[in-house]
Amino acid sequence: MLLKSCNAGFVLHSSSNSRALSTPKPPFSARRVSFSSPPCVRASVDLTVADRAPEAVGAGATLADRLRHGRLVEDGLSFKEKFIVRCYEVGINRTATVETIANLMQEVACNHAQNVGFSTDGFATTTTMRKMHLIWVTNRMHIEVYKYPAWGDVVEIETWCQAEGRIGTRRDWIIKDVATGYVIGRATSKWVMMNQDTRRLQKVSDEVKEEYLVFCPRTPRLAFPEEDNSSLKKISKLEDPAQYSKLGLVPRRADLDMNQHVNNVTYIGWVLESIPQEIIDSHELEKITLDYRRECQHDDIVDSLASPELEDAEVVLLQEGANGSASSKKLGEDSRQFLHFLRLSRDGLEMNRGRTEWRRKLKR
């Protein structure tokens, strides 16, 4: 099974400038914080190396390093960076798109990799990996956005990586609004190792692990520490005929990354192309999960299919009543869920499957 490669390649990962905030303790550790699906969660913002002036960077740093508002935190096991949301990164509501969020996450990842001395060739590979022609490719991505930042807002993104099973690794992100200190988004991803020449998956060797685990938290740290959280949910395959479709999507030259592969953020855009316009008008994306199954080449043509995950939008949830009997609650139109399927037009082979969850837009 082939998976899609992307230029953030592996796992060592960025945000922009604003006034520093000081509140209790550092953000997100599974040992200290428990989430329960909040819209926005108050979190702390430590004054770390990331908040210091560019002049505090080492003498060997490049001009970009000196100007970038991102640094390793003091324990060296995660990376923070601040970003200003630009006018060209927002949509019709003057808020950042989910593609913007994903691009900023990827930027943080790449800056993290470079900051710890990993390869700058776009694959974020270790010395041993380059010798063996190995790269990291995306296997799964899950993003949750509780509040989209607006044009001119400043967000801080923290990222870190750790081992994930025998053949992979994972990278997590926490996204905060710098002005308020609230957590406005979280994300997690899984990566597997592939031979760049044969395009086959390969087990992560102990030698490679030793090279990158030194930069990872000593104990597991999860952006989603809750049990049975959405990031763990299996995605069922969407069967044809789908209720909605967008056929004949063609990768643009601008969709290719520095490694000559279609960038993983492009897949997000393709998935959203098949969402009906009435949902786009009335709802906003809250969660997206993508399983990457096959690489996309620049000359491939892609079909995007989507159907509601639940047959009726007014889904009945069984809840335990006070007397032990089951009572019902209707979700109505406030929440919608879709299954997604990206396939190659020429032969129908599966490239990507996904799930999206949508919440009704707040009236302005």
Side-chain angles (χ1 to χ4, degrees), residues 40 79 145 157 179 229 236 250 260 270 295 320 327 341 344:
C40 291
F79 186 88
V145 183
I157 306 180
N229 61 81
S236 302
V250 179
Q260 300 300 308
W270 286 342
E295 290 180 291
E320 192 68 19
S327 61
F341 186 76
L344 293 174

Side-chain angles (χ1 to χ4, degrees), residues 15-17 54-55 57 61-71 81-82:
S15 199
S16 220
N17 195 12
E55 290 76 10
V57 183
T62 65
L63 178 60
D65 292 331
R66 293 174 180 275
L67 296 177
R68 183 178 291 128
H69 297 286
R71 306 287 182 272
E81 189 168 342
K82 295 185 178 74

Side-chain angles (χ1 to χ4, degrees), residues 146-185:
Y146 311 123
K147 181 179 183 297
Y148 283 89
W151 174 22
D153 284 352
V154 180
V155 297
E156 180 182 67
I157 306 180
E158 180 182 12
T159 187
W160 64 95
C161 58
Q162 55 206 330
E164 177 80 5
R166 293 181 298 175
I167 64 170
T169 186
R170 68 178 286 157
R171 177 172 285 285
D172 287 25
W173 295 265
I174 298 295
I175 307 168
K176 297 178 186 174
D177 183 324
V178 171
T180 65
Y182 283 105
V183 169
I184 60 173

Side-chain angles (χ1 to χ4, degrees), residues 47-63:
L47 292 176
T48 65
V49 178
D51 301 291
R52 297 175 185 171
E55 290 76 10
V57 183
T62 65
L63 178 60

Side-chain angles (χ1 to χ4, degrees), residues 105-121:
M105 288 164 43
Q106 184 167 277
E107 175 69 9
V108 177
C110 290
N111 291 342
H112 187 190
Q114 291 192 31
N115 199 278
V116 299
F118 273 59
S119 169
T120 59
D121 63 1

Side-chain angles (χ1 to χ4, degrees), residues 277-331:
Q277 186 62 42
E278 58 266 25
I279 296 298
I280 299 296
D281 293 339
S282 60
H283 289 68
E284 65 180 4
L285 181 66
E286 181 176 10
K287 302 178 184 179
I288 182 169
T289 310
L290 297 179
D291 284 343
Y292 294 88
R293 304 288 176 132
R294 181 171 278 101
E295 290 180 291
C296 180
Q297 307 299 329
H298 66 88
D299 55 351
D300 287 330
I301 300 176
V302 179
D303 295 336
S304 176
L305 311 177
S307 289
E309 184 174 18
L310 306 172
E311 293 183 0
D312 191 337
E314 292 191 344
V315 183
V316 176
L317 295 179
L318 294 180
Q319 297 180 324
E320 192 68 19
N323 59 359
S325 61
S327 61
S328 66
K329 176 183 177 183
K330 289 189 176 182
L331 293 177

